[in-house]
Amino acid sequence: MDLIKETIRTIVSKNLNGMNIADHDSLFETGIDSMNMLFVLNEIENALDVEIPDDELLISNFENIEKISELIYELKGSNE
């Protein structure tokens, strides 16, 4: 899960102009907007070879890096 979390952290940071973000910091409070989040989701799917189903596209799943990594870990675990 550490590789997943590090990949997500890198993608999020890149989309927030290099801002350093802790795992539990709210992405929405750091200034990420809906357009940035679309880019983040697309990059995560490509980098981690996972498809996020529409029914998982909930704000609660993308509140912070920790929540996103938990979701991706579950999705990858259920597909392997």
Side-chain angles (χ1 to χ4, degrees), residues 42-73:
N42 185 50
E43 288 185 49
I44 288 170
E45 287 181 326
N46 291 331
L48 297 173
D49 192 32
V50 65
E51 185 174 334
I52 301 169
D54 290 343
D55 63 338
E56 295 291 350
L57 295 175
L58 306 170
I59 291 174
S60 59
N61 284 336
F62 299 94
E63 176 64 28
N64 55 44
I65 292 170
E66 184 69 30
K67 292 282 189 179
I68 298 170
S69 64
E70 288 172 5
L71 173 64
I72 300 304
Y73 184 74

Side-chain angles (χ1 to χ4, degrees), residues 2 6-7 17 35 37-38 40 46-47 57 61 64 71:
D2 291 333
E6 186 58 38
T7 301
N17 297 320
M35 189 59 87
M37 187 55 81
L38 289 175
V40 166
N46 291 331
L57 295 175
N61 284 336
N64 55 44
L71 173 64

Side-chain angles (χ1 to χ4, degrees), residues 19-34:
M19 183 184 294
N20 190 14
I21 299 177
D23 292 349
H24 293 92
D25 288 350
S26 170
L27 297 182
F28 304 106
E29 289 179 12
T30 61
I32 198 164
D33 60 22
S34 58

